[in-house]
Amino acid sequence: ISRQDRPGLLVSPTSWTEDEDFSILLDALVSIEKTPNVSKMVVVVTGKGPLKDFYIAKVASLGLTRVRVLTMWLEPADYPRLLACADLGICLHTSTSGLDLPMKVVDMFGSGVPVCAIRFKCIHELVKHDENGLVFEDQTQLASQLSVLFSNFPPTLKDEEE
């Protein structure tokens, strides 16, 4: 039985490069912070890369109180374990060429985690909007999706039976 006061657990694997505009997620989280009836959230961002320190400083400056952003590097065996615990995966990968499919989405699907992914040229080959995940264009759409998904969260047993 799930705890009714637990926060939502979001995971966003990243390489901390220009292929992933992490500010989209941060801006959505700032918006969610002000939204009533949305659960508290823990956002775990995994990976290494050149923009990590820049975004860590940006997170620290946001003053979030209902959303906690954690960064970590995981051992290969721990990555699927974390994914399996997540309530939602966020994919910000857009691909420099626009043609590379993000394997992190495959990892999330393989762990049974629903995905919100940013729209780019070929993401539709993996994520079918409103079928196996949600696709967003910008921080406003992502904030709206998070608001819907994490309102009245976690679901009660009664909710799950309906």
Side-chain angles (χ1 to χ4, degrees):
I1 296 176
S2 64
R3 281 188 16 217
Q4 291 306 301
D5 62 341
R6 79 172 179 87
L9 177 60
L10 286 68
V11 175
S12 185
T14 184
S15 57
W16 298 103
T17 65
E18 289 82 13
D19 278 355
E20 297 169 307
D21 185 355
F22 194 65
S23 64
I24 292 171
L25 176 57
L26 295 182
D27 291 344
L29 295 175
V30 167
S31 178
I32 286 294
E33 177 91 4
K34 302 170 191 167
T35 306
N37 301 321
V38 174
S39 95
K40 291 181 178 180
M41 295 180 191
V42 174
V43 181
V44 179
V45 185
T46 65
K48 293 183 193 178
L51 295 175
K52 183 176 181 179
D53 291 339
F54 170 79
Y55 282 114
I56 287 174
K58 190 169 180 177
V59 167
S61 73
L62 295 177
L64 298 172
T65 59
R66 296 181 62 241
V67 177
R68 179 88 188 262
V69 179
L70 307 171
T71 62
M72 61 183 63
W73 174 255
L74 298 170
E75 293 299 321
D78 293 329
Y79 177 63
R81 291 181 182 126
L82 174 64
L83 289 181
C85 294
D87 297 301
L88 181 68
I90 305 288
C91 178
L92 299 167
H93 178 87
T94 57
S95 169
T96 303
S97 68
L99 301 173
D100 300 322
L101 292 172
M103 294 311 296
K104 61 190 83 189
V105 171
V106 176
D107 294 340
M108 290 183 241
F109 285 162
S111 296
V113 178
V115 174
C116 287
I118 193 161
R119 183 179 310 280
F120 72 97
K121 189 173 183 177
C122 63
I123 193 64
H124 66 279
E125 293 180 30
L126 282 177
V127 181
K128 314 278 191 250
H129 187 73
D130 280 336
E131 288 181 35
N132 65 353
L134 298 173
V135 178
F136 59 90
E137 298 272 350
D138 56 25
Q139 66 271 10
T140 302
Q141 283 185 341
L142 177 57
S144 176
Q145 291 170 358
L146 293 175
S147 178
V148 169
L149 294 169
F150 290 94
S151 290
N152 302 311
F153 179 87
T156 64
L157 288 176
K158 182 180 177 188
D159 294 337
E160 291 174 355
E161 290 172 359
E162 293 175 356

